[in-house]
Amino acid sequence: MPLLPPSPAPAAAPPRVLTVAGSDSGGGAGIQADLKAMLALGVHGMSVITAVTAQNSLGVQGYWELPAEAVRAQFRSVVDDIGVQAVKTGMLASIELVETVSELLAGIDAPVVVDPVGVSKHGDALLAAEAVATVRERLLPVATLATPNLHEVTQLTGLTVTGEGDMPAAAQALLDLGPRWVLVKGGHLEGEAADLLYGGAGEQYWYRAPRYDNRHTHGTGCTLASSIAAELAKGLAMPDAVAAAKEYVTGAIAGGFALGAGIGPVDHAWRWR
């Protein structure tokens, strides 16, 4: 009987990244987008689901929060056994969930990327109005990086950004709320897409990308935040992590495709096609 070759040694585990967010049944945003982006960028994605949405290309038809106990149990199961090298947060929905997740994140030694999700691409509310203050007071102080779009900047600071010249003041107002870094995303402005990374020591980094004539951009914000978390888990410094994530997301936007009758998703697998 021929001898079988020895079994190969187990491969080393890739960096581990945890997303704490809502599920998108249409597969374009939320947990689904986060895990796709993490796979594409070579890390092991794990999840804590905070809410379940009924969602498609036309919008969010409804959402149901998970109990805080379920969110806490998912988090502890992953962190206590597997460990994490970065965390990304998305849809947290309610005061109770924001408080629960903020408390959990305060106890970990890993970078935390907070995407302060307020509304969906279609304008559907994904955060209770009364929870905005809790995001401001509890969640942002435990963030390594916050990644608000311009609507979320206004929601959190009261400031309105009408052009690139307004972005540094908005970034400083957000930085004053506690995160170590802020990435103000200028995607809703006219002209070239420009984002500003702003750090506590007065550091400023601008990231510019061409604007593609493609309406299929569902999941852009989730994908960018989870991509930054992936690059941080791989050991990149914050400015380099944002640059690498921005390059990946720009390609995903360029490859966005139609699904259903509304806005389709970005293409998380664009590098493979």
Side-chain angles (χ1 to χ4, degrees):
M1 182 175 178
L3 293 175
L4 296 174
S7 299
R16 292 144 289 164
V17 184
L18 177 64
T19 169
V20 183
S23 170
D24 174 3
S25 55
I31 290 283
Q32 286 81 352
D34 296 339
L35 294 177
K36 291 174 186 178
M38 291 171 189
L39 177 64
L41 293 174
V43 302
H44 176 68
M46 305 168 292
S47 65
V48 170
I49 298 176
T50 59
V52 175
T53 70
Q55 187 172 171
N56 56 26
S57 70
L58 299 173
V60 179
Q61 289 76 48
Y63 73 80
W64 299 265
E65 301 160 26
L66 268 69
E69 178 185 6
V71 170
R72 190 178 293 108
Q74 291 176 81
F75 187 94
R76 292 263 61 95
S77 290
V78 171
V79 173
D80 294 347
D81 174 45
I82 301 172
V84 295
Q85 287 157 298
V87 180
K88 176 259 181 180
T89 73
M91 176 187 180
L92 299 182
S94 69
I95 290 176
E96 184 179 20
L97 290 184
V98 174
E99 289 178 339
T100 298
V101 171
S102 300
E103 178 184 324
L104 291 166
L105 293 175
I108 68 163
D109 182 23
V112 175
V113 179
V114 170
D115 185 14
V117 175
V119 297
S120 75
K121 178 72 67 180
H122 302 87
D124 303 296
L126 296 176
L127 179 71
E130 62 269 20
V132 173
T134 312
V135 170
R136 190 185 298 122
E137 296 162 10
R138 297 286 302 276
L139 186 61
L140 291 183
V142 300
T144 309
L145 171 70
T147 63
N149 63 30
L150 299 185
H151 298 309
E152 291 154 356
V153 167
T154 301
Q155 190 179 46
L156 292 167
T157 68
L159 299 177
T160 301
V161 176
T162 59
E164 285 187 23
D166 299 328
M167 290 170 70
Q172 183 61 59
L174 284 157
L175 205 67
D176 291 343
L177 297 175
R180 277 182 264 167
W181 294 85
V182 171
L183 181 67
V184 176
K185 300 180 294 189
H188 292 104
L189 296 175
E190 296 294 324
E192 191 178 39
D195 298 340
L196 171 62
L197 177 66
Y198 200 87
E203 297 175 87
Q204 293 188 35
Y205 302 86
W206 287 92
Y207 302 87
R208 302 182 184 278
R211 189 177 295 277
Y212 293 100
D213 184 20
N214 184 356
R215 66 190 291 261
H216 301 300
T217 56
H218 185 50
T220 304
C222 305
T223 301
L224 179 61
S226 55
S227 299
I228 295 171
E231 298 296 352
L232 290 172
K234 288 152 68 172
L236 270 62
M238 185 64 72
D240 298 329
V242 173
K246 177 88 172 175
E247 189 270 334
Y248 168 70
V249 172
T250 298
I253 292 171
F257 50 86
L259 281 182
I263 298 174
V266 301
D267 185 3
H268 295 93
W270 66 274
R271 286 176 171 164
W272 305 335
R273 299 194 198 280

